[in-house]
């Protein structure tokens, strides 16, 4: 055996010995850490099954009346509730950390947007954290609408772009592209408006927005 090999073997044995010594000296601590990890997992599972799951069911049951008011565009009742049933505001408070409360943020944002309370609408849309692509895209797009009403066109453009990227479909993407083009026009950025309108024609030729987009293109191109 070479001297180098002997040194390497001795080093490995020494390292193994140090690890074994550490394990023996810290056996109680390691056991405590392992027990703590197991306990945390158990608490999480119990939290999900015994606490959060029943709250999800209760929240969904409570929310259907507010959703009915919302669908009928009875915005105040959807927000505040009626006849013993909570509105979206109370559901968010009473059932925080549930999927129902998260979705209630979107509904509440739409209600405030339609009432002209744009700052409240923006706050609620920003609080929505759902995985549904369509709803998430609409939340971005509606936030853009709110900023348009507030004449904050830079932020409106930013959120319309987010909506376009999130949606990536033939229904919502051309809709928000058209709104983005209108924002560029409001900013007198006719070049960007033209490019945006033309992207509807090229990328989404079968969309509803593409059917009359030539008139928008001609309008901004005349200003270039």
């Amino acid at each position: 055996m070479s001297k180098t090999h002997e040194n390497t073997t001795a080093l490995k044995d020494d390292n193994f010995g140090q690890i074994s010594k550490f394990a023996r000296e810290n056996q109680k601590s390691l056991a405590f850490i392992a027990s703590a990890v197991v306990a945390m997992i158990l608490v999480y599972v119990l939290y999900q099954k015994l606490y959060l799951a029943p709250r999800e069911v209760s929240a969904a049951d409570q929310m259907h009346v507010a959703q009915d008011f919302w669908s009928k565009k009875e915005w105040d009742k959807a927000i505040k509730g009626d006849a013993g049933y909570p509105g979206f505001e109370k559901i968010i408070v009473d059932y925080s950390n549930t999927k129902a409360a998260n979705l209630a943020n979107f509904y509440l944002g739409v209600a405030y947007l339609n009432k002209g309370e744009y700052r409240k609408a923006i706050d609620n849309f920003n609080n929505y954290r759902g995985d549904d692509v369509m709803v998430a895209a609409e939340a971005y797009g509606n936030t853009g609408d709110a900023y348009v009403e507030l004449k904050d066109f830079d932020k409106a453009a930013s959120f319309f772009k987010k909506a376009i990227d999130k949606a990536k479909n033939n229904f919502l993407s051309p809709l928000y592209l058209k709104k983005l083009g209108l924002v560029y026009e409001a900013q007198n950025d006719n070049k960007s408006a033209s490019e945006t309108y033309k992207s509807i024609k090229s990328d989404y030729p079968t969309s509803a927005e593409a059917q009359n987009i030539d008139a928008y293109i001609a309008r901004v191109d005349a200003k270039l």
Side-chain angles (χ1 to χ4, degrees):
M1 183 182 295
S2 68
K3 188 172 182 180
T4 301
H5 183 72
E6 289 176 354
N7 290 339
T8 302
T9 302
L11 181 60
K12 287 181 178 179
D13 290 342
D14 184 57
N15 287 340
F16 180 76
Q18 289 179 5
I19 293 170
S20 298
K21 182 180 178 182
F22 175 84
R24 288 194 303 273
E25 291 177 350
N26 296 275
Q27 189 172 8
K28 290 184 178 179
S29 297
L30 293 172
F32 174 79
I33 292 171
S35 298
V37 171
V38 171
M40 288 173 64
I41 293 172
L42 181 60
V43 168
Y44 176 76
V45 171
L46 291 174
Y47 170 79
Q48 290 287 328
K49 290 187 175 182
L50 301 181
Y51 178 73
L52 196 57
R55 278 166 56 81
E56 288 283 6
V57 173
S58 180
D61 183 60
Q62 291 283 305
M63 202 162 84
H64 76 277
V65 175
Q67 288 174 311
D68 186 53
F69 287 135
W70 187 89
S71 66
K72 294 175 181 176
K73 299 184 179 181
E74 296 183 41
W75 307 121
D76 289 329
K77 289 182 179 180
I79 293 168
K80 297 296 184 181
D82 184 65
Y85 286 94
F88 292 122
E89 280 188 340
K90 186 170 175 57
I91 289 168
I92 290 169
V93 173
D94 291 351
Y95 297 97
S96 59
N97 299 324
T98 65
K99 293 179 181 178
N102 182 49
L103 184 57
N105 277 302
F106 175 80
Y107 282 118
L108 193 55
V110 173
Y112 278 129
L113 182 63
N114 280 276
K115 279 173 59 65
E117 298 185 47
Y118 304 118
R119 292 293 179 188
K120 287 184 178 180
I122 289 167
D123 288 342
N124 282 281
F125 287 133
N126 286 338
N127 286 333
Y128 174 73
R129 295 290 185 274
D131 296 326
D132 187 290
V133 172
M134 292 289 282
V135 178
E138 286 189 73
Y140 284 139
N142 289 339
T143 303
D145 288 336
Y147 277 120
V148 166
E149 296 296 337
L150 293 170
K151 301 294 187 290
D152 190 337
F153 297 123
D154 287 337
K155 286 186 178 178
S158 174
F159 277 95
F160 285 143
K161 288 175 184 177
K162 289 180 181 180
I164 294 161
D165 291 340
K166 190 70 174 180
K168 293 182 179 178
N169 63 55
N170 201 55
F171 176 65
L172 290 180
S173 294
L175 170 65
Y176 294 127
L177 277 167
K178 187 174 182 180
K179 290 188 176 187
L180 178 61
L182 291 169
V183 166
Y184 284 139
E185 283 197 71
Q187 295 177 306
N188 294 314
D189 186 352
N190 295 305
K191 183 176 183 295
S192 294
S194 177
E195 291 171 353
T196 301
Y197 293 143
K198 287 174 182 175
S199 70
I200 296 174
K201 186 173 182 177
S202 61
D203 298 342
Y204 303 97
T206 61
S207 67
E209 286 73 24
Q211 306 315 304
N212 64 347
I213 203 64
D214 284 336
Y216 288 80
I217 295 170
R219 182 175 69 206
V220 293
D221 282 353
K223 300 176 184 177
L224 294 176

